[in-house]
Amino acid sequence: MNLKYILGSIFTIPLLPLMYYHSKRIRARVPSLPEATGFSGHYGPTYKDSVNILVLGESTMAGVGVFTHDEGFAGHLAKALNTRLNIGIKWRVYAKSGYNASEVKSKILPLITQESPDLIVLGIGGNDAFELNSPRKWKKAVYEIISDLKSRFGNVPIVFANMPPIKEFPAFTKLIKFITGNLVEMLGKELTRVVSQFENVFYNSNVIVLEEWVDRLSLNESVSDFFSDGVHPSRLTYQVWANDLSDFLVQNTICKKFK
């Protein structure tokens, strides 16, 4: 039982009509962007001996906000790992905008045709927060995703990317940021508990703070530059986010067998 979620639900229920109104305003203002094109790629001098990476998830992994996956999370992650490890990286994306964790399990995983990936990366959580799904429902779906992947691919490393920084979405009202932002943080804590039950499954639990990115990387951009439409990442965000995850992979020796 998640006491914080229960208390939050009690607080949220009277606000649901207002949240619905705010959500309609947000949808009216935010343009409908397509998913990125080009679902696979390769970086490195040799193709034959390259590491195979699967990237799974929701709209961020589907590359909403950029034209091609080469500009999105998968492409930038492959570039970063190629640079850090000096090895070839082959990547393939299986993702869909609007899918929650349960839908990733039931609709995305059956589409995977690769038989022997070397690394699986997932980016989920935003849609579960937008749908106000309970931590219990989320935890069950994540557990099933991991179990399914392990039954098919054995002890291949599975890595969950950071939860989306909903509290910083420019297009969201303060109310929507507060409700869904707090919920996505709860889901992140549940994800930490779930991955601890499995071997070779990891979660980068570092909370994304865009001002910290600006300061750390000495960028000239403002927070709004990290978004393509006030909700989805821009090319800059995909690049910084993927670079950070590649650091996480290397620092946690998840990629040690690739060298």
Side-chain angles (χ1 to χ4, degrees), residues 54 56 94 108-115 117 149 152-153:
L54 296 183
L56 319 175
Y94 292 90
I108 293 291
L109 299 194
L111 300 178
I112 298 174
T113 57
Q114 277 76 0
E115 295 182 356
L149 292 172
R152 295 179 61 181
F153 303 119

Side-chain angles (χ1 to χ4, degrees), residues 140-161:
K140 179 177 182 293
V142 172
Y143 190 95
E144 290 175 348
I145 288 173
I146 297 172
S147 298
D148 184 292
L149 292 172
K150 282 195 162 290
S151 70
R152 295 179 61 181
F153 303 119
N155 205 34
V156 169
I158 300 170
V159 180
F160 288 84

Side-chain angles (χ1 to χ4, degrees), residues 113-131:
T113 57
Q114 277 76 0
E115 295 182 356
S116 55
D118 298 297
L119 174 67
I120 301 171
V121 176
L122 292 107
I124 54 177
N127 288 317
D128 285 271
F130 302 153
E131 296 172 12

Side-chain angles (χ1 to χ4, degrees), residues 70-89:
D70 190 60
E71 303 172 297
F73 187 87
H76 282 297
L77 179 62
K79 292 175 190 176
L81 289 176
N82 168 245
T83 300
R84 285 164 172 75
L85 303 176
N86 195 30
I87 56 175
I89 305 290

Side-chain angles (χ1 to χ4, degrees), residues 35-36 39 54-64 69 74 92-99 103-104 107-109 111-112 121-124:
E35 298 175 355
F39 297 100
L54 296 183
V55 178
L56 319 175
E58 57 187 18
S59 60
T60 50
M61 300 300 105
V64 174
H69 280 289
R92 176 67 166 87
V93 175
Y94 292 90
K96 185 67 178 176
S97 180
Y99 276 11
E103 290 169 317
V104 169
K107 299 179 181 180
I108 293 291
L109 299 194
L111 300 178
I112 298 174
V121 176
L122 292 107
I124 54 177

Side-chain angles (χ1 to χ4, degrees), residues 12-74:
T12 301
I13 288 173
L15 297 174
L16 288 177
L18 185 58
M19 290 182 65
Y20 175 74
Y21 171 71
H22 283 203
S23 297
K24 287 189 67 176
R25 287 176 55 198
I26 292 168
R27 282 194 290 269
R29 292 200 308 264
V30 175
S32 179
L33 298 178
E35 298 175 355
T37 60
F39 297 100
S40 62
H42 170 258
Y43 286 98
T46 59
Y47 186 83
K48 181 179 178 181
D49 299 322
S50 296
V51 169
N52 288 287
I53 298 179
L54 296 183
V55 178
L56 319 175
E58 57 187 18
S59 60
T60 50
M61 300 300 105
V64 174
V66 292
F67 292 108
T68 70
H69 280 289
D70 190 60
E71 303 172 297
F73 187 87

Side-chain angles (χ1 to χ4, degrees), residues 202 247-256:
F202 309 88
D247 288 340
F248 175 82
L249 294 170
V250 172
Q251 291 165 6
N252 287 275
T253 66
I254 298 167
C255 299
K256 62 181 179 181

